[in-house]
């Protein structure tokens, strides 16, 4: 319901004056768009009314929201209601990223109960509000399935069953405007993308700047998406709990890899607090392995 509602408002944003800034910034310091606030309110309402959710963590909320009227609810949901919203006014695809944890019996549902690695997620996924609304979802140890919103029926229809990311592909997706702040292994990796050994073909650069859109393209076509930690953002820019971990689960279940800037498996990284950040490299198995190998070489 929340995905359908957000998709509806995004389609009508320009017509009903929902573009532009709301005049505030969220807990992680990003300027809030009017749609950020609407998307967040919709998501909170949908999770509360479901009766299944005990705790909700949103990028737009400083603290975790505990639904006290649902003491027996066993699920915790983490989300970025509208990821990439800085691109909204330009008509660039944005999306919702979410992860679901199951709380053990007897747990009251404090935010500390959510400081777990992504290996504990029972489900994760994202929606992308582009030319059509796409929903990609996976369960723990399961396959990755893609659905497309049919506006006439008001339903998500399975259009991409059992998604598998190609093992390798000559496409990379990264903001090269940050090159001057990158660590040496990352610079060496990007150099190898553009200057292949033995006269091979250079990689193609594709960067939208909206994580869900870049991730969806990478999932379909293969390649690698990277947002490394750097000297300007030593911990990284993307949030572990509701951006990196859910995406890592999707990519691993589709046959790919996801690691942080220390080359640790992304799904095993435990956030220190609910809005903790990390660098990330995710995509085709062999492409992420190249990054890992270059970092190992530099470590020696």
């Amino acid at each position: 319901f929340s995905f359908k509602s957000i998709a509806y408002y995004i389609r009508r944003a320009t017509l009903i004056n929902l573009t532009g800034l709301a005049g505030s910034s969220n807990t992680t310091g990003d300027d809030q768009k009017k749609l950020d606030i609407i998307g967040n309110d919709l998501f909170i309402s949908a999770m509360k009314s479901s009766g299944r959710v005990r705790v909700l963590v949103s990028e737009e909320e400083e603290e975790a929201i505990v639904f006290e009227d649902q003491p027996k609810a066993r699920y915790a949901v983490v989300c970025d209601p509208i990821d990439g919203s800085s691109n909204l006014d330009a008509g660039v695809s944005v999306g919702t990223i979410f992860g679901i944890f199951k709380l053990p019996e007897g747990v009251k549902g404090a935010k500390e109960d959510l400081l777990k690695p992504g290996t504990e997620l029972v489900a994760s996924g994202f929606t992308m509000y582009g030319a059509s609304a796409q929903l990609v979802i996976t369960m723990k140890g399961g396959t990755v399935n893609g659905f497309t919103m049919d506006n006439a029926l008001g339903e998500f229809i399975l259009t991409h069953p059992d998604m598998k990311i190609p093992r390798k592909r000559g496409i990379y997706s990264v903001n090269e405007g940050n090159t001057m702040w990158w660590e040496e292994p990352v610079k060496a990796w990007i150099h190898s993308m553009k200057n292949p050994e033995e006269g091979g073909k250079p990689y193609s650069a594709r960067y939208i700047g909206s994580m869900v859109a870049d991730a969806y393209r990478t999932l379909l076509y293969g390649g690698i998406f990277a947002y490394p930690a750097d000297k300007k953002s030593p911990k990284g820019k993307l949030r572990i709990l509701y951006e990196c971990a859910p995406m890592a689960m999707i990519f691993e279940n589709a046959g790919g890899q996801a690691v942080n800037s220390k080359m640790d498996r992304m799904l095993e990284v435990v956030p220190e607090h609910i809005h903790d950040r990390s660098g990330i490299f995710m995509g085709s198995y062999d492409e992420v392995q190249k990054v890992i190998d270059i970092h190992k070489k530099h470590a020696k």
Side-chain angles (χ1 to χ4, degrees):
F1 173 76
S2 58
F3 300 150
K4 291 172 188 176
S5 304
I6 293 168
Y8 169 78
Y9 279 107
I10 285 172
R11 294 271 186 276
R12 294 180 54 79
T14 309
L15 297 172
I16 55 177
N17 196 27
L18 288 180
T19 54
L21 296 172
S24 55
S25 59
N26 65 19
T27 180
T28 52
D30 299 331
D31 287 333
Q32 283 182 308
K33 299 278 186 175
K34 293 172 190 172
L35 272 164
D36 278 324
I37 294 169
I38 290 171
N40 187 47
D41 289 347
L42 280 167
F43 214 89
I44 292 169
S45 298
M47 295 305 103
K48 185 177 183 180
S49 63
S50 75
R52 299 291 185 116
V53 180
R54 178 71 170 137
V55 196
L56 172 65
V57 168
S58 166
E59 186 195 7
E60 306 301 328
E61 300 284 339
E62 192 164 343
E63 295 294 332
I65 298 168
V66 180
F67 300 123
E68 299 292 358
D69 54 345
Q70 303 290 352
K72 293 185 178 175
R74 288 267 59 84
Y75 291 95
V77 175
V78 294
C79 76
D80 183 350
I82 302 187
D83 180 77
S85 57
S86 60
N87 292 310
L88 262 172
D89 296 357
V92 174
S93 298
V94 297
T96 303
I97 307 171
F98 63 93
I100 304 168
F101 293 96
K102 191 164 188 182
L103 298 169
E105 290 292 332
V107 168
K108 288 184 179 174
K111 65 181 179 184
E112 288 73 25
D113 298 325
L114 290 173
L115 301 182
K116 300 176 179 177
T119 48
E120 298 289 311
L121 285 163
V122 293
S124 76
F126 65 86
T127 49
M128 186 182 77
Y129 312 109
S132 54
Q134 309 287 150
L135 166 62
V136 174
I137 190 167
T138 189
M139 308 287 173
K140 189 171 188 173
T143 56
V144 178
N145 292 293
F147 299 78
T148 304
M149 176 75 174
D150 184 325
N151 291 321
L153 296 174
E155 291 293 346
F156 281 100
I157 309 296
L158 180 64
T159 50
H160 297 73
D162 195 9
M163 297 174 82
K164 294 288 182 204
I165 186 168
R167 182 92 187 181
K168 57 183 179 181
R169 192 69 189 271
I171 299 172
Y172 71 93
S173 180
V174 63
N175 182 0
E176 292 187 66
N178 292 330
T179 306
M180 65 182 283
W181 293 298
W182 285 351
E183 301 293 344
E184 288 309 313
V186 183
K187 288 181 181 175
W189 165 68
I190 210 76
H191 180 80
S192 73
M193 298 286 102
K194 299 174 179 182
N195 303 277
E197 294 174 6
E198 299 163 12
K201 187 184 172 190
Y203 279 53
S204 298
R206 299 281 185 273
Y207 186 66
I208 298 166
S210 176
M211 188 192 190
V212 284
D214 279 311
Y216 188 62
R217 186 203 56 249
T218 304
L219 192 61
L220 284 179
Y221 301 157
I224 186 167
F225 168 83
Y227 208 126
D230 54 33
K231 289 165 189 165
K232 184 166 61 96
S233 305
K235 286 207 88 171
K237 189 90 190 320
L238 300 175
R239 270 64 58 155
I240 296 169
L241 197 57
Y242 44 80
E243 289 177 325
C244 298
M247 284 293 189
M249 183 180 182
I250 292 164
F251 275 79
E252 282 201 9
N253 284 1
Q257 282 198 87
V259 296
N260 68 3
S261 284
K262 295 174 182 171
M263 300 298 108
D264 301 322
R265 182 187 173 206
M266 193 72 242
L267 278 180
E268 292 177 355
V269 176
V270 181
E272 292 173 15
H273 54 85
I274 59 173
H275 298 296
D276 201 6
R277 298 173 186 255
S278 173
I280 192 168
F281 296 84
M282 65 186 194
S284 296
Y285 194 95
D286 290 358
E287 303 306 336
V288 177
Q289 193 59 46
K290 282 179 191 170
V291 180
I292 297 168
D293 293 343
I294 286 173
H295 275 74
K296 278 182 185 169
K297 199 168 151 188
H298 272 255
K300 285 178 185 173

